[in-house]
Amino acid sequence: MSLLKSYLSRHYIIQLAGVHLLLATMILLQAYVIVSIIDSVFLQDAGFLDVLVSLIGLLAIISARAVLTFTSGRIGITLAKKAKTSMRSHLLQHYTNQPIELAAQGRSGEKIATLLNTVDQTDAYYREYIPQMVRASVVPLAILIMMAIYNWPSALIVLITAPFIPIFMAIIGLKTRDKSEEQLNALSNFSGQFLDSLQGLTTLSLFGRAQQEQTLIEKRSNQFRDATLGVLKVAFTSAFMMELISMLSIGLIALELAVGLIIFDSIAFTTAFFILLLAPEFYIALKDLSSAFHAGRESITAGKSIEAVLDESKHPVAWGQQTIVSVPPRMTLDHVSFAYDDVDILKNISATIEAGQNIAVVGPSGAGKTTLLNVIAGLLPIQHGRINVNSLKQHELREDVWFRQLSYITQSPYIFSGSIYDNIAISQPDAPVDDVYDAAKRAGLQSLIDSLDSGIETVVGDGGRGLSGGEKQRLALARAFLKQPSLILFDEPTTGLDLKTEQLLSQAIHDLSTNATVITVAHRIHTIQAADQIIVLNDGELIASGTDASLKHSSSAYRALLGIDGGVNA
């Protein structure tokens, strides 16, 4: 609940308190005017004209109650809207600032379900529970005070019976919490499974798993249905018990008033009638709170789920305010370590990367090569050690200044839904149109563009649907040509491409790296041998570094990576 409370605005709480104070006044006035009219007509034989003013006043009071109730609802809706907007903004910021290793965890469907469905489930807390909580704090208290003034035995009955409602609410609340958590987990599983199945539908079909996946989705759907019915069952039980408690309580008050009015003649008719009109209003406020409390419990469960997401990582990369003085930069890694979930990924890495050098990072699968690139790029926060850029620590630089000098090209660059032009211009939105065309040409996209009816304005789908692997890589290179970075990171972008495309890309990469420091996770022998410095990783540790010639003589691990058997003469 602490997360939900953090989005509450004192301004709206004050507004709600004022509205419900006026509402309590209208309830008391309505009961008083009704008693006055009944007394005048039935006991004092007054005519229609005699009570016309009172009838008009009663109509005005009823209208005022409707307006105040509507106003309370509008305040609740506005509060819910602002709270959910802020919550989604914080979730998006959290997902944006997550270290890349954490961002890759979990299913995208679950994250979307959290951002949309789970946040929506907090709506009832602000729209219903908070307004009803304020109402239950103001209206019943005003009615109880009025009862105590006119007939203290009725007030005493209310004081004795009223606590049964919050006690029962607490009991129901425990059950509701469990059922709500079950429903939320079922919804998350169903949403994640459904979206992941849609995204991988082609793969599932190719492997003959579509029917099994359909069965699994149906199972998840049924689990969500059963969980929802369980929540509704608790809600109906709660509503029935609230009605039963309030009905018995009002019955006791009516009995006490009847005894005083008929047997002991200790209370006037107008007073008894006034108290009898107020009693249902007292319990209605508590019953409405009970209904809102049930919805609020579901919202609290959703809030805890969101809070757990926001607490996943409290260590985003921190940035300073310095700028890079000289480019390309000279970088030094000083005893850099990185761990994820208490598992050491990089261990005490120290290396020097001179400005303009071509660096190759090699090692077996799982050695930490891609993680090292992510750390150098500033996408992951290091736990120990530091990275120096020229004479500054990396985290002392301004984030926008650092990323303006950096291009990072992976094996699977992401292509957004939009035109080829838009996907290139994303790296430099203010670049002239001619520069975008030139970047596309230098990246080897000219023949592709010429073959398309709409040319560079051709629209591609999410993830680059419609483009081959090589075309995606060329588009990513075009972004880099347009950006003209001073530090370029490659995660072996030519892996899996045909020989012609690989040669074309290798030439483009060579042209791009003319005025930049280049660090490449390399597997190709020719890429490794052309490097000015080779860094050899194994199990997160730097075990050797040097040129191809020196490492062939000094490092058996390097020779093993190259598939060289024998000794230094290989």
Side-chain angles (χ1 to χ4, degrees):
M1 189 185 294
S2 58
L3 175 75
L4 300 184
K5 285 183 177 179
S6 67
Y7 291 101
L8 284 176
S9 171
R10 180 180 296 180
H11 172 69
Y12 289 108
I13 299 300
I14 293 174
Q15 284 186 10
L16 286 170
V19 167
H20 287 106
L21 188 59
L22 290 174
L23 184 61
T25 303
M26 293 299 107
I27 290 173
L28 295 174
L29 284 176
Q30 176 181 305
Y32 178 81
V33 172
I34 290 175
V35 169
S36 175
I37 292 173
I38 296 297
D39 180 63
S40 298
V41 173
F42 292 98
L43 299 182
Q44 299 179 22
D45 295 326
F48 176 76
L49 293 178
D50 296 328
V51 296
L52 180 60
V53 174
S54 297
L55 288 172
I56 294 174
L58 179 61
L59 180 62
I61 291 170
I62 293 173
S63 299
R65 281 193 65 175
V67 171
L68 290 169
T69 301
F70 173 80
T71 302
S72 174
R74 288 296 302 174
I75 293 173
I77 291 172
T78 304
L79 177 59
K81 178 182 176 182
K82 289 185 176 295
K84 290 192 297 181
T85 300
S86 299
M87 213 175 292
R88 286 195 171 102
S89 176
H90 289 158
L91 279 170
L92 284 172
Q93 186 177 8
H94 169 76
Y95 286 138
T96 301
N97 293 334
Q98 270 186 328
I100 192 168
E101 294 287 340
L102 184 59
Q105 301 298 311
R107 297 185 295 189
S108 57
E110 291 179 351
K111 294 179 180 179
I112 292 173
T114 298
L115 197 60
L116 298 179
N117 299 334
T118 307
V119 171
D120 276 338
Q121 285 187 323
T122 66
D123 181 90
Y125 179 83
Y126 303 101
R127 182 171 51 86
E128 299 177 25
Y129 179 70
I130 292 300
Q132 290 299 337
M133 178 66 77
V134 175
R135 181 186 177 189
S137 302
V138 176
V139 174
L141 181 60
I143 293 174
L144 184 61
I145 292 173
M146 193 61 64
M147 282 184 171
I149 292 173
Y150 280 91
N151 185 45
W152 66 265
S154 298
L156 183 61
I157 293 173
V158 168
L159 283 174
I160 294 173
T161 58
F164 284 100
I165 292 180
I167 290 173
F168 190 77
M169 283 168 54
I171 296 172
I172 290 294
L174 295 175
K175 189 67 175 177
T176 303
R177 180 192 62 191
D178 297 337
K179 289 295 184 181
S180 297
E181 290 177 354
E182 182 183 341
Q183 182 195 32
L184 190 62
N185 290 333
L187 176 61
S188 178
N189 290 332
F190 173 60
S191 300
Q193 187 72 42
F194 186 71
L195 182 59
D196 285 352
S197 298
L198 284 179
Q199 291 175 329
L201 189 58
T202 301
T203 302
L204 290 170
S205 298
L206 289 174
F207 284 97
R209 297 286 300 177
Q211 187 61 45
Q212 290 89 334
E213 196 70 14
Q214 179 181 340
T215 303
L216 183 57
I217 290 175
E218 183 179 358
K219 178 182 176 182
R220 299 290 191 194
S221 176
N222 290 336
Q223 288 174 343
F224 177 59
R225 178 201 62 195
D226 294 340
T228 302
L229 290 175
V231 171
L232 291 176
K233 181 180 178 181
V234 174
F236 292 147
T237 302
S238 174
F240 171 75
M241 292 306 298
M242 291 302 106
E243 289 290 344
L244 182 62
I245 293 172
S246 60
M247 181 182 66
L248 292 175
S249 301
I250 294 171
L252 287 174
I253 293 173
L255 178 62
E256 180 271 326
L257 292 173
V259 170
L261 183 65
I262 298 173
I263 299 177
F264 296 103
D265 196 22
S266 60
I267 186 172
F269 169 78
T270 53
T271 301
F273 193 24
F274 181 61
I275 297 296
L276 198 58
L277 287 176
L278 290 180
E281 297 285 359
F282 179 93
Y283 290 102
I284 285 173
L286 294 183
K287 284 193 300 180
D288 289 344
L289 175 61
S290 174
S291 300
F293 177 78
H294 172 77
R297 289 301 308 183
E298 295 184 26
S299 296
I300 291 170
T301 301
K304 289 180 179 178
S305 176
I306 294 170
E307 190 171 14
V309 171
L310 293 175
D311 286 342
E312 281 177 347
S313 173
K314 295 184 180 294
H315 306 287
V317 178
W319 297 94
Q321 296 297 321
Q322 299 296 323
T323 58
I324 298 176
V325 177
S326 62
V327 292
R330 179 181 187 270
M331 300 184 67
T332 58
L333 280 67
D334 185 9
H335 301 287
V336 171
S337 297
F338 173 79
Y340 177 70
D341 277 349
D342 297 325
V343 177
D344 292 329
I345 308 298
L346 298 178
K347 308 168 188 175
N348 206 32
I349 303 290
S350 293
T352 299
I353 301 170
E354 298 293 345
Q357 272 194 334
N358 183 359
I359 307 296
V361 181
V362 300
S365 177
K369 302 184 294 297
T370 299
T371 300
L372 179 61
L373 284 195
N374 291 331
V375 167
I376 293 173
L379 297 176
L380 292 175
I382 58 178
Q383 276 78 38
H384 302 288
R386 66 182 185 183
I387 297 177
N388 294 323
V389 179
N390 296 331
S391 59
L392 297 170
K393 296 178 182 177
Q394 185 185 55
H395 70 265
E396 294 176 341
L397 297 170
R398 274 174 41 196
E399 182 179 11
D400 61 327
V401 169
W402 172 249
F403 285 118
R404 197 180 302 140
Q405 301 297 329
L406 172 72
S407 276
Y408 188 174
I409 300 175
T410 66
Q411 294 182 29
S412 302
Y414 191 82
I415 310 301
F416 294 91
S417 177
S419 68
I420 295 175
Y421 179 94
D422 292 336
N423 268 284
I424 297 173
I426 194 174
S427 66
Q428 200 83 328
D430 299 328
V433 175
D434 289 344
D435 288 357
V436 178
Y437 277 89
D438 182 63
K441 184 177 180 179
R442 295 177 67 186
L445 284 171
Q446 188 66 52
S447 59
L448 170 67
I449 292 172
D450 291 342
S451 68
L452 299 172
D453 292 338
S454 300
I456 201 170
E457 295 296 337
T458 300
V459 174
V460 294
D462 292 332
R465 286 197 302 272
L467 298 178
S468 68
E471 289 164 347
K472 292 179 186 179
Q473 294 290 0
R474 277 178 258 175
L475 199 154
L477 284 172
R479 292 171 177 169
F481 273 116
L482 181 63
K483 190 176 185 180
Q484 288 297 305
S486 61
L487 176 62
I488 307 172
L489 307 179
F490 290 111
D491 193 355
E492 194 55 74
T494 59
T495 298
L497 303 181
D498 61 82
L499 182 60
K500 180 179 179 181
T501 302
E502 182 183 339
Q503 290 174 343
L504 192 154
L505 286 179
S506 296
Q507 182 58 47
I509 291 171
H510 179 268
D511 295 342
L512 184 62
S513 61
T514 303
N515 298 308
T517 300
V518 177
I519 305 174
T520 305
V521 169
H523 299 91
R524 305 286 190 183
I525 291 179
H526 63 81
T527 302
I528 297 171
Q529 292 176 333
D532 298 315
Q533 181 185 177
I534 302 166
I535 293 174
V536 184
L537 296 181
N538 186 41
D539 194 26
E541 295 181 288
L542 193 156
I543 58 173
S545 65
T547 63
D548 174 67
S550 65
L551 288 175
K552 282 180 178 177
H553 284 76
S554 62
S555 175
S556 59
Y558 179 70
R559 292 195 298 273
L561 286 171
L562 296 184
I564 300 175
D565 297 322
V568 295
N569 295 322

